[in-house]
């Protein structure tokens, strides 16, 4: 049991580094860029608050666990901004992320390494209802932050409304249509006012 | 439903401010003080990893939800360091925290405001098995960070081993004895080496 705890604490100490991984988004008050650890907390809170937007059959506690784990690989890879490289950089990063998942979850006892990696892989594959809802939620906080701070990563990457619909909307519309219906007019208003 | 979502997003935007609340602990690498949002993520991850240390009857998913919510009141009150004011400042803060819970959870639709406030109050009261395990977990990451960065908040507040046992140990021993058995010798070693 002592060895097991030592492995678990090694992983938990390594996980601390996620607090130093910076994302493209800035905080709502615009004061600084957001890190991936505080983002992970925020999106887990989104899941708790927006629970009644989950399609029937979604297990919300699995979604919350997925979201707690979803960015840990960035300790090795860094965050790949959604809008970087004309929106293609994000998809290209998947090999490096799989390697990072091997190393990082591999710090844990074998049973947990397998379980955590499986949950992370399920999220990445975006096929099950739980993963699809989790992925949809993951797209929403940066939208709210960009609106609050006056443009944020949309300004930095010169994102058009069409690109927003393609890169962000396509992940939200199907899995969380109620959220999309609420947020899309607000995004339109923001882009229109800015034009 | 639109009004409901508007209330929920108002709460989620306000919650962003937890990222600007600084704690006494520094990151493991010592580079800066930790904020309460990234701490909340880290301790939720602790709950997932250290699940098998939970006493029988603990509902781990409730513990995770408690930990996601547990520091939100600090948006209004700030973090009260455990070791400040000779270890008494923390207990004295509870009235202000209850007022903060009213205001912040009160931004949500009434049913969620009640449910979230109840979960937060349960955590604060530290009486149910779920709350006691959550409180025990909440005490552990700062210990690991202080050891990693060479003293952290123990140095800042000139904490003795006896004070550590009283303020930190008493919350961990009963609710998570296995964690305490693993961590206490490492703390002793740290304090001994420093003396």
């Amino acid at each position: 049991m002592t060895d097991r705890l030592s492995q678990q604490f090694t992983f938990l100490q390594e996980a601390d580094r996620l607090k130093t991984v910076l994302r493209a988004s800035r905080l709502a008050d615009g004061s600084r860029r957001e890190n991936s650890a505080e983002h992970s907390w925020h999106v887990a809170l989104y899941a708790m608050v927006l629970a009644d937007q989950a399609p029937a059959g979604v297990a919300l506690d699995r979604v919350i666990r997925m979201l707690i784990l979803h960015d840990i690989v960035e300790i090795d890879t860094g965050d790949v901004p959604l809008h970087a490289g004309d929106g293609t950089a994000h998809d290209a990063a998947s090999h490096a992320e799989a390697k990072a998942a091997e190393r990082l979850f591999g710090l844990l006892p074998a049973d947990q390494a397998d379980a955590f990696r499986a949950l992370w892989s399920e999220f990445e594959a975006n096929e099950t209802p739980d993963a699809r809802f989790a992925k949809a939620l993951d797209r929403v906080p940066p939208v709210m932050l960009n609106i609050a701070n006056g443009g944020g990563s949309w300004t930095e990457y010169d994102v058009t409304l069409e690109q927003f619909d393609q890169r962000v909307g396509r992940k939200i519309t199907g899995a969380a249509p109620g959220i999309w219906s609420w947020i899309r007019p607000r995004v339109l208003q923001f882009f229109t006012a800015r034009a």
Side-chain angles (χ1 to χ4, degrees), chain A:
Chain A
M1 203 62 179
T2 297
D3 277 0
R4 184 172 174 85
L5 276 166
S6 294
Q7 290 176 295
Q8 289 167 328
F9 276 110
T10 298
F11 171 79
L12 288 167
Q13 287 289 66
E14 186 75 359
D16 196 66
R17 295 173 56 201
L18 194 61
K19 300 168 189 170
T20 67
V21 175
L22 294 184
R23 293 165 49 84
S25 311
R26 303 186 77 81
L27 301 193
D29 68 9
S31 58
R32 62 168 174 81
R33 284 168 68 192
E34 183 184 40
N35 72 62
S36 293
E38 61 197 3
H39 157 73
S40 297
W41 164 76
H42 207 176
V43 72
L45 183 66
Y46 266 67
M48 284 181 67
V49 170
L50 300 172
D52 48 14
Q53 296 293 330
V58 166
L60 199 81
D61 285 310
R62 289 191 80 240
V63 169
I64 291 172
R65 289 174 181 236
M66 265 182 204
L67 290 168
I68 290 169
L69 295 185
H70 81 293
D71 272 346
I72 282 182
V73 294
E74 296 181 358
I75 288 169
D76 284 359
T77 64
D79 177 61
V80 179
L82 180 64
H83 299 294
D86 261 348
T88 58
H90 204 258
D91 294 333
S94 66
H95 177 71
E97 290 183 348
K99 240 179 88 178
E102 280 302 315
R103 186 187 81 78
L104 288 159
F105 296 131
L107 297 172
L108 288 163
D111 60 314
Q112 281 191 318
D114 291 347
F116 282 34
R117 204 168 37 224
L119 200 59
W120 175 81
S121 299
E122 181 181 335
F123 173 82
E124 282 299 304
N126 195 31
E127 283 166 5
T128 65
D130 291 355
R132 284 165 46 82
F133 187 60
K135 277 267 185 199
L137 289 174
D138 188 35
R139 288 287 188 270
V140 183
V143 178
M144 296 300 291
L145 295 181
N146 282 352
I147 290 176
N149 65 37
S153 60
W154 295 334
T155 305
E156 187 174 345
Y157 290 102
D158 206 13
V159 175
T160 65
L161 186 62
E162 189 181 13
Q163 288 167 335
F164 169 83
D165 283 340
Q166 169 60 16
R167 297 173 195 165
V168 179
R170 72 186 166 108
K171 284 286 200 312
I172 307 178
T173 39
I179 296 174
W180 182 246
S181 298
W182 187 89
I183 216 167
R184 180 57 169 72
R186 286 161 176 86
V187 174
L188 175 63
Q189 188 179 29
F190 181 88
F191 274 82
T192 307
R194 197 175 60 160

